[in-house]
Amino acid sequence: MNFSIRGQQIEVTEALRDYVDKKLSRLDKYFDAPPNSDGTVTLSVVRGLHAVEVTIPLTGVLLRAEDRSNDMYASIDAVVDKLERQIRKHKTKINRKLRQRGVKDILFAEGQANGSVAVEESEDELEVVRTKRFIMKPMDVEEAILQMNMVGHNFYVFSNIDTKEVNVVYKRNDGKYGLIEQD
């Protein structure tokens, strides 16, 4: 898998590039064939914290992880660990569904005794433990942000008065707001 590595407010040295490539190559063991898609790695320094964000688009799923710490190399290690957990969880779910359907072609490599990690996730992890129902009053984005802040949540689902669609506003890590719209 190829990765595009870029830096924001930091120069990406050859040592950093090699370290990122070495660590991300650990993910190859989870795939029968290397994915054709290209991933992106963004290294940045924000308020003295070294941030690493990795995005890997795959068929049917987008793997994304980020981490911030005082050390760039520690952030890279943490992001790779997060991605490995996501892949193992997704692998288990997909392969279980494929086996139930009797499909022989499995997307992710099966864990073997040669050191590969085989993790079985319990069904309880995907259980819905609470359902909420509410009436969505049509409102504009600004009112939705105010409502979100008033209830103290970091996201808010609402019916957009302008587009007549269901949207989500959310608070970003940088303190600003984001909007999710249907495509």
Side-chain angles (χ1 to χ4, degrees):
M1 178 181 299
N2 296 323
F3 288 96
S4 164
I5 303 170
R6 66 185 183 96
Q8 290 180 338
Q9 300 160 350
I10 186 174
E11 179 185 343
V12 180
T13 63
E14 197 60 37
L16 269 176
R17 189 176 302 279
D18 291 343
Y19 192 78
V20 168
D21 285 337
K22 177 184 168 207
K23 288 298 185 174
L24 289 175
S25 68
R26 284 180 20 197
L27 303 178
D28 290 341
K29 68 183 176 187
Y30 293 103
F31 302 98
D32 285 333
N36 296 334
S37 58
D38 292 338
T40 60
V41 179
T42 304
L43 309 175
S44 62
V45 178
V46 179
R47 296 186 203 120
L49 291 177
H50 298 268
V52 178
E53 179 183 323
V54 179
T55 306
I56 305 171
L58 299 174
T59 305
V61 67
L62 178 73
L63 300 174
R64 183 183 175 285
E66 70 177 272
D67 191 73
R68 291 185 170 101
S69 72
N70 292 328
D71 179 38
M72 183 61 77
Y73 293 96
S75 294
I76 294 168
D77 292 342
V79 162
V80 172
D81 291 343
K82 288 178 182 180
L83 286 169
E84 280 187 306
R85 279 192 301 275
Q86 285 181 23
I87 290 171
R88 285 194 305 261
K89 188 174 183 177
H90 187 69
K91 173 191 105 150
T92 302
K93 184 174 98 175
I94 294 295
N95 287 347
R96 183 182 305 124
K97 284 183 181 179
L98 291 175
R99 274 193 296 274
Q100 287 173 352
R101 292 185 193 145
V103 176
K104 299 287 186 227
D105 185 27
I106 295 181
L107 175 65
F108 293 102
E110 291 291 334
Q112 291 129 3
N114 64 1
S116 296
V117 180
V119 175
E120 285 296 322
E121 302 290 337
S122 68
E123 289 290 329
D124 296 338
E125 289 186 33
L126 302 176
E127 180 183 358
V128 176
V129 295
R130 184 175 182 185
T131 301
K132 283 187 167 184
R133 297 179 144 293
F134 61 95
I135 298 171
M136 284 194 277
K137 178 183 115 187
M139 61 181 73
D140 60 13
V141 175
E142 291 79 15
E143 185 180 351
I145 291 172
L146 292 172
Q147 291 288 329
M148 175 184 66
N149 289 334
M150 192 168 65
V151 296
H153 291 171
N154 56 0
F155 72 94
Y156 191 79
V157 180
F158 69 102
S159 175
N160 192 321
I161 199 163
D162 299 326
T163 63
K164 309 290 189 256
E165 302 274 340
V166 174
N167 292 169
V168 177
V169 291
Y170 62 95
K171 189 165 190 144
R172 298 168 34 105
N173 289 335
D174 61 7
K176 297 179 182 174
Y177 298 98
L179 175 67
I180 299 174
E181 297 179 313
Q182 288 179 256
D183 210 8

